[in-house]
Amino acid sequence: METGRSRLSWNIAKLNSPFRTLILVCFVAVLSYVAPKLAGALILHPQTVWPLWPGCALLVSVLLLVSRRIWPLVIPAAFAAFVLYDLQAGVRIGSIAWFVLADTVQVLTAAFCLNYFFGGVPRLNSVKALSKYLFFAVLLAPFAAAFLSAFGIQGDYWTSWRISFLSEVLAFVTLTPAILGWVSHGPAWVRKSRAYYLEFAALITGLVLLSYITFTASESRSSPALLYSLVPFLLWAALRFGAMGVSTSVIVVAFLSIWGAVHGRGPFTSGGPFSGMLSLQLFLVFAATPFMVLAALVEERTQAEDELRESEERLRLAVHAGRMYAFEWDTVTDAIVRSGQCADILNWMDDPTRDTGRQFVARIYPDDREEYAATETGFTPENPTYQTRYRMLRPDGSVIWLEENGRVFFDAQGRMLRTIGMVADITESKTGEEALAGVSRRLIEVQEQERTRIARELHDDIGQRLAMLTIELEQLRQRYSDLPAGLLYYVGQLRDHSSEIATDVQSLSRELHSSKLEYLGIATAMKAFCKEFSDQQNVEVVFAHDEVPRTLSQEISLCLFRVLQEALQNALKHSGVRHFEVELRYGSDAIDLTVRDSGSGLDVQQAMKTRGLGLISMAERVKLVDGQLAIDSQPNRGTTIHARVPLSVRSHSMRAAE
């Protein structure tokens, strides 16, 4: 979407051709001459008392709207117009020089600072943005320039400094925000409704009438109390029309109040022209600034509300697309309130947005109720969040998978008050997981079948033939003992090599398929493997185990056995040590396998991406039996691989649920 700031670059920023640049320079020169000419018509002492000097404020507004490349052309043209007006007004050459120097400092300070800190055209729609504008344009630039322009005004230096400072401050408080506001909000105003235009016209009309009554009455009939009547209109402008409405309203008030003051009317005529003009300037500055801040706060709040609505809409769309709903459970009354998205997910006959905790638990799939109930216990103020998955029965007999993420709130005594959270329908993802798990299970089954076939071929065929070859070579050596000694030695060597190959083939066969695992149980098979591994690799493997029943399922036994094989092979290759520890612990609800070394350690995240380590294969095997694989490793502190498999393996397939 095109932003407001990018639209501000509009046609003024496209002044690339020399002709367009020339038009802009001429326009700025005319504007810089006409503006003080019109403002000078309001005052009685154009060489001394200026309640508002519009030149620099208008020039800074133009500079912020055009490219920096043409600033060197625009600024001299504007200053030339300033000088021409001053000469026609009868200002001394020396004063003009001071004024030009002061205007240069003021314009460059305000323009460069605002352009740098706003990155373009200032948008005064937040307190932070308004604060930066007030500091650089309203305070810093006029403050510095007043020290120079005061030398060009006859009379007391500090009185002249005050006149110069406040006249520039008032211009930057009123004119520049109005110009920037109209330019930045102009495209948006085109799309406003007719009622909006009529309301703004009513505001300006009422303000004009009230300001005329307040500031143009004769001194004898003028009352300062009428000034308070402007407050409702300025509030109206701030709340309904933002910074642009406030700046426009203040311009109306400033024009009529200045006109009344210089013509001896209104509440700012007592005490002479200097004193009255000071009161007028202070009134306009301190009347405009608070309402500009209020307008910024209102726009900031409006913008935050718009962003919140957009965020809520995005969340609603995400919830709808992701099949989720929000809930709140009052643990005191046992009442559950859900968002409307639950209707499509739960598909209940009655109102799904409201029920009780007991009613909800009754709808959970029977095999999952105990686990779900256990989730509701054990919460503490230090551990208030949870995540759980369970199946839900629907009235039509179908079963869906839900994932619940919640947070529990407690009172001061630590008692549960309520729970809020999100529930997502993950049936499709669980179906996909089951399909993927089925493929993985089938691949592992095929792999094990192929291992068994190869192991059987190695044991029953290749191994037996190598054994026969070894026997025949020994018989040959004994039968032809009268052969030359060298030949008999060579035959003996062949016999030894054949025997070694036969032994390696038998070892490979047992590694591919352990008959001990099948007939003697997992503990005996692991113990035998650790001993063979120690002998073959010349390492020390300490194996400790509990009494594990031989009736352990073949699926779990084979899974843990393969994890042991892979873990020891990895430890031998990468740990750099020769001592390993293996523990097999049997419990009432799970069996744990731990393989530990004190070697160089590894980067777990990187290792999971490395195919050679086989960690992904181990994790997949353990996952297929509903187990968990944990890897704990630190540099130079060794590696521990822990596989935990539940003994009461629950089938999570959707077919079983149905």
Side-chain angles (χ1 to χ4, degrees), residues 347-573:
N347 195 24
W348 294 349
M349 300 299 182
D350 51 355
D351 184 7
T353 61
R354 296 179 181 274
D355 68 346
T356 65
R358 288 186 296 272
Q359 292 173 327
F360 180 72
V361 172
R363 301 176 190 266
I364 295 178
Y365 193 74
D367 291 348
D368 298 346
R369 290 174 188 169
E370 182 178 351
E371 183 177 341
Y372 181 82
T375 305
E376 299 178 0
T377 62
F379 294 121
T380 63
E382 293 77 22
N383 184 29
T385 60
Y386 69 92
Q387 181 185 68
T388 183
R389 293 184 174 188
Y390 52 88
R391 288 167 290 182
M392 176 67 63
L393 286 168
R394 298 205 292 188
D396 59 1
S398 61
V399 178
I400 59 174
W401 273 96
L402 300 178
E403 181 178 81
E404 182 176 318
N405 292 271
R407 179 182 178 86
V408 182
F409 293 87
F410 300 85
D411 60 12
Q413 288 73 37
R415 292 173 298 190
M416 293 176 56
L417 293 177
R418 62 191 181 99
T419 301
I420 63 172
M422 295 290 295
V423 176
D425 180 3
I426 59 170
T427 305
E428 293 185 1
S429 64
K430 287 295 292 185
T431 303
E433 289 179 7
E434 290 296 326
L436 183 60
V439 173
S440 299
R441 182 178 290 105
R442 181 56 184 161
L443 288 175
I444 291 177
E445 289 175 356
V446 171
Q447 183 185 41
E448 291 298 333
Q449 291 173 1
E450 188 66 13
R451 282 172 176 257
T452 302
R453 186 190 67 80
I454 296 174
R456 186 179 295 113
E457 291 291 332
L458 290 175
H459 181 273
D460 297 341
D461 185 13
I462 307 298
Q464 297 299 327
R465 290 160 66 183
L466 286 172
M468 289 299 300
L469 178 61
T470 302
I471 294 174
E472 290 175 357
L473 288 173
E474 176 61 21
Q475 290 176 350
L476 176 64
R477 193 179 68 84
Q478 293 178 359
R479 180 178 301 176
Y480 300 100
S481 58
D482 55 345
L483 291 174
L487 183 58
L488 292 177
Y489 175 78
Y490 181 70
V491 172
Q493 288 290 99
L494 292 176
R495 179 205 60 192
D496 294 340
H497 290 329
S498 176
S499 178
E500 291 175 0
I501 294 173
T503 301
D504 291 341
V505 168
Q506 293 297 326
S507 176
L508 179 60
S509 174
R510 288 192 296 272
E511 184 176 341
L512 290 172
H513 177 73
S514 174
S515 57
K516 293 180 181 179
L517 178 66
E518 185 176 355
Y519 297 109
L520 300 180
I522 185 173
T524 303
M526 284 188 172
K527 183 177 181 180
F529 175 78
C530 290
K531 185 177 184 308
E532 292 177 4
F533 188 83
S534 300
D535 296 340
Q536 292 176 0
Q537 306 297 338
N538 192 25
V539 296
E540 181 184 9
V541 180
V542 178
F543 179 71
H545 66 95
D546 294 332
E547 292 297 328
V548 182
R550 293 172 55 185
T551 57
L552 195 65
S553 71
Q554 181 67 17
E555 189 178 15
I556 294 177
S557 298
L558 184 59
C559 169
L560 294 178
F561 188 78
R562 294 304 184 201
V563 170
L564 172 64
Q565 288 179 313
E566 196 71 53
L568 283 179
Q569 291 289 350
N570 288 337
L572 178 66
K573 292 179 182 178

Side-chain angles (χ1 to χ4, degrees), residues 10-25:
W10 45 291
N11 296 332
I12 290 182
K14 298 179 181 179
L15 296 172
N16 298 322
S17 67
F19 179 71
R20 291 182 177 180
T21 302
L22 178 61
I23 293 177
L24 175 65
V25 172

Side-chain angles (χ1 to χ4, degrees), residues 233-244:
F233 285 87
L234 294 176
L235 281 174
W236 184 5
L239 296 178
R240 291 288 294 154
F241 303 100
M244 185 189 66

Side-chain angles (χ1 to χ4, degrees), residues 5 113-114 117-138 177 180 243 292-293 295-297 299-300 303:
R5 178 166 295 183
C113 290
L114 293 178
F117 285 99
F118 283 92
V121 180
R123 295 176 60 87
L124 309 181
N125 56 355
S126 68
V127 175
K128 182 179 179 181
L130 181 61
S131 299
K132 291 191 290 186
Y133 174 80
L134 291 177
F135 177 75
F136 292 114
V138 178
L180 298 179
M292 292 178 67
V293 174
L297 287 172
E299 293 194 24
E300 204 171 38
Q303 184 178 0

Side-chain angles (χ1 to χ4, degrees), residues 11 28 63 104 220 279 286 291 298 300 332 404 415 428 515 534 554 566 574 582 605:
N11 296 332
V28 172
L63 294 178
T104 302
S220 59
S279 300
F286 287 108
F291 288 103
V298 171
E300 204 171 38
V332 179
E404 182 176 318
R415 292 173 298 190
E428 293 185 1
S515 57
S534 300
Q554 181 67 17
E566 196 71 53
H574 305 286
V582 178
Q605 293 183 350

Side-chain angles (χ1 to χ4, degrees), residues 101-118:
L101 183 59
D103 290 345
T104 302
V105 171
Q106 181 171 223
V107 168
L108 294 181
T109 301
F112 274 110
C113 290
L114 293 178
N115 185 269
Y116 175 80
F117 285 99
F118 283 92

